[in-house]
Amino acid sequence: MFCNQCEQVSKGLACTERGVCGKDADVQSLQEILLYGVKGMAAYSHHARRLGKTDESVNAFIEDALFATVTNVNFDIPSLLALVLECGKVNLRVMQLLDEGHVEAFGQPKITEVYEGTKAGPGILVTGHDLLDIKNLLEQTKGTGVNVYTHGEMLPAHMYPELSKYPHLAGHFGGAWQKQKQEFAQFTGPIVATTNCILIPPEVYKDRLFTLRATAVPGAKKILNDDYAEVIAAAQAASPLASQHVRSSTIGFHHSVLKSVAGPVVEAVKQGKLKRFFVIGGCDGAEVGRNYFAQYAASTPADTLILTVGCGKFRIRNENVGTFELPGVGAIPRILDMGQCNDSYGSIEIAVALAEAFGCGVNDLPLSIVLSWFEQKAVAVLLTLLHLGVKGIRIGPNPPAFVSPNVMRILKETFDLDIVGSNAVEDMEIASGTRPKKPPVSRLEIVT
Ligand code: SF4
Ligand code: SF4
């Protein structure tokens, strides 16, 4: 454990074995899980509030949760565990608010083909998650001759009609956040970072980087009052972008779109043509171990569908897994891009709808969930899945350092939660039931 939050801290540095107050590593772990879940939820809640979507019960829970982590308030593992799961419940409400806010503000999502690359002329690149920011920018760039491009988690902007209606929303450029130093250096125009995950910029593009609200990095300029005049002027003064079409991709498999083909999907499962659903997504990152998720996706059988969300999609979407012939509908991509990390809400909606259609519980569905995690929004989403009682989730590539061995053991026993293994193909086969389950030797137990 590591705690330095109060005056009686051990040796004036940190309590690392057991707190001077009596707090042990498991209490500290649960308090950190709660804190990180609340942080992630606050990010989603921030986006929802900007779209006019709030719920007083969310604010009240955030106060309760933060209060429970103050020194000498709560040393009780069962009540902290209950708060951790309550955080998942409240985060579900927050993701629902954000989903409603997106649809009300930007229209009913639809399947959309996206041009990836750049077009000749000046352009602005927008990264992060806040769709209201890109809407404001698109309004202000109307008639200026400046194109707007999405980057990273902004890719789903193209599926909303109130955003795609702007002809100068010209396309998508780049992949997940960890590649931004290379990609932003290549993009000659200004870059607007609306949220995480923003990296501290190198010299080569820091004078072209603009941030908003909570987002800030040394060397970048702050946009105030949603006024993009300076960004637009910078785009007009920069060297124009070249025409370069890298690829086209199909996105827009929002839960409402998938629900519209629920009948054929259920029928395909009943006929044995569709064997399993995989949710493979979350956050991407720089570690080599994240290739696990690409290998996992690549090895899934042809009679299965993969739902993906978050920037983890960039790790798997280059895998050529082909299409699935959905009876009565036609060929659909086997990798269905549902949107941003907050659109994990959509995969929950789909799972619940399927369970209702089959008259079973979510845990009885032919469904495997493999999540790549990086930061605290992923923690909030995981807590939501645990609150719903979803079992058998695998997370990776590395165990969260803030989960103590005992707390992990509780989560394993209660939810069959575990860290991904070292062989993605074997793990996929075990999840599919085509390979017998190995004796439970968790990588977490090896690490600890
Ligand atoms: S709250 Fe407890 S564990 Fe943390 S610094 Fe204070 S005495 Fe140590
Ligand atoms: S999905 Fe996670 S890692 Fe990726 S950009 Fe969003 S917050 Fe960052």
Side-chain angles (χ1 to χ4, degrees):
M1 65 179 280
F2 182 96
C3 185
N4 62 359
Q5 71 176 12
C6 87
E7 181 274 341
Q8 60 186 350
V9 60
S10 174
K11 299 180 183 130
L13 293 172
C15 297
T16 54
E17 299 294 328
R18 173 177 277 271
V20 175
C21 61
K23 179 157 79 172
D24 67 19
D26 298 327
V27 168
Q28 170 71 1
S29 173
L30 287 165
Q31 290 187 347
E32 286 185 339
I33 296 171
L34 183 57
L35 205 49
Y36 299 158
V38 166
K39 281 190 190 187
M41 189 169 76
Y44 293 144
S45 187
H46 171 89
H47 298 316
R49 178 181 296 276
R50 280 169 45 75
L51 297 169
K53 293 287 181 181
T54 57
D55 182 334
E56 175 51 30
S57 68
V58 173
N59 309 336
F61 174 77
I62 291 175
E63 290 165 13
D64 289 349
L66 292 178
F67 188 19
T69 68
V70 169
T71 302
N72 289 355
V73 174
N74 192 324
F75 298 93
D76 180 58
I77 286 180
S79 70
L80 284 169
L81 194 54
L83 270 172
V84 161
L85 295 179
E86 182 73 10
C87 181
K89 179 181 174 184
V90 178
N91 185 55
L92 180 64
R93 173 70 182 138
V94 171
M95 289 196 295
Q96 181 191 33
L97 286 171
L98 185 52
D99 181 73
E100 289 170 2
H102 281 158
V103 174
E104 284 172 22
F106 310 121
Q108 181 61 48
K110 54 184 184 185
I111 298 171
T112 307
E113 182 159 303
V114 180
Y115 173 101
E116 298 199 26
T118 52
K119 294 178 179 170
I124 299 169
L125 188 61
V126 187
T127 193
H129 304 74
D130 197 302
L131 298 178
L132 185 55
D133 288 329
I134 198 166
K135 168 83 177 170
N136 291 338
L137 178 62
L138 286 164
E139 264 304 306
Q140 292 179 35
T141 43
K142 264 194 316 195
T144 63
V146 174
N147 284 324
V148 174
Y149 297 88
T150 55
H151 175 269
E153 277 279 77
M154 273 291 169
L155 172 61
H158 296 269
M159 74 178 172
Y160 293 96
E162 288 301 313
L163 299 174
S164 63
K165 73 179 184 186
Y166 295 92
H168 61 294
L169 179 61
H172 181 83
F173 178 88
W177 65 273
Q178 76 275 7
K179 294 190 173 162
Q180 64 188 245
K181 285 192 177 169
Q182 177 194 343
E183 291 169 352
F184 291 179
Q186 287 166 2
F187 192 89
T188 52
I191 303 132
V192 177
T194 65
T195 68
N196 58 329
C197 290
I198 179 75
L199 296 175
I200 296 172
E203 285 293 326
V204 63
Y205 64 78
K206 73 177 183 188
D207 59 339
R208 290 190 280 116
L209 185 62
F210 294 80
T211 60
L212 288 139
R213 297 181 305 284
T215 313
V217 281
K221 298 185 194 93
K222 200 86 177 171
I223 296 166
L224 299 174
N225 306 317
D226 297 323
D227 180 358
Y228 290 93
E230 195 179 348
V231 186
I232 296 166
Q236 289 166 329
S239 319
L241 295 155
S243 175
Q244 192 177 24
H245 185 203
V246 177
R247 61 184 277 179
S248 293
S249 58
T250 306
I251 66 155
F253 295 93
H254 185 257
H255 65 88
S256 55
V257 171
L258 291 176
K259 279 181 189 160
S260 70
V261 292
V265 168
V266 168
E267 203 44 44
V269 174
K270 284 183 177 165
Q271 290 173 8
K273 291 178 177 159
L274 179 54
K275 295 272 173 41
R276 179 161 285 272
F277 303 88
F278 292 94
V279 176
I280 308 174
C283 303
D284 202 4
E287 307 90 340
V288 177
R290 289 182 185 268
N291 286 335
Y292 173 95
F293 300 96
Q295 288 163 2
Y296 195 106
S299 62
T300 55
D303 52 5
T304 61
L305 291 175
I306 300 169
L307 307 178
T308 191
V309 289
C311 72
K313 70 169 73 78
F314 292 104
R315 183 65 56 162
I316 66 170
R317 70 186 198 138
N318 292 330
E319 299 305 319
N320 185 13
V321 300
T323 56
F324 178 81
E325 196 63 33
L326 189 59
V329 174
I332 59 170
R334 279 195 52 235
I335 296 181
L336 301 167
D337 181 353
M338 298 187 74
Q340 298 180 326
C341 52
N342 45 284
D343 291 308
S344 310
Y345 171 74
S347 57
I348 292 166
E349 282 281 291
I350 295 297
V352 170
L354 283 172
E356 276 170 15
F358 290 112
C360 66
V362 169
N363 291 319
D364 303 314
L365 290 171
L367 170 70
S368 304
I369 302 178
V370 194
L371 298 179
S372 47
W373 82 283
F374 168 63
E375 45 73 83
Q376 293 97 73
K377 288 195 278 183
V379 176
V381 172
L382 177 65
L383 297 185
T384 295
L385 292 168
L386 298 183
H387 149 71
L388 292 169
V390 179
K391 294 189 173 171
I393 300 168
R394 296 292 175 263
I395 59 170
N398 296 308
F402 50 85
V403 180
S404 69
N406 266 338
V407 170
M408 190 66 197
R409 201 161 291 123
I410 293 169
L411 296 178
K412 279 178 72 173
E413 285 168 8
T414 315
F415 299 105
D416 185 24
L417 176 74
D418 210 343
I419 310 303
V420 298
S422 54
N423 186 321
V425 179
E426 273 186 25
D427 285 359
M428 189 286 301
E429 289 171 353
I430 291 167
S432 301
T434 56
R435 179 185 281 266
K437 220 173 175 175
K438 283 184 284 191
V441 180
S442 164
R443 277 180 58 210
L444 187 87
E445 284 168 5
I446 295 166
V447 169
T448 56

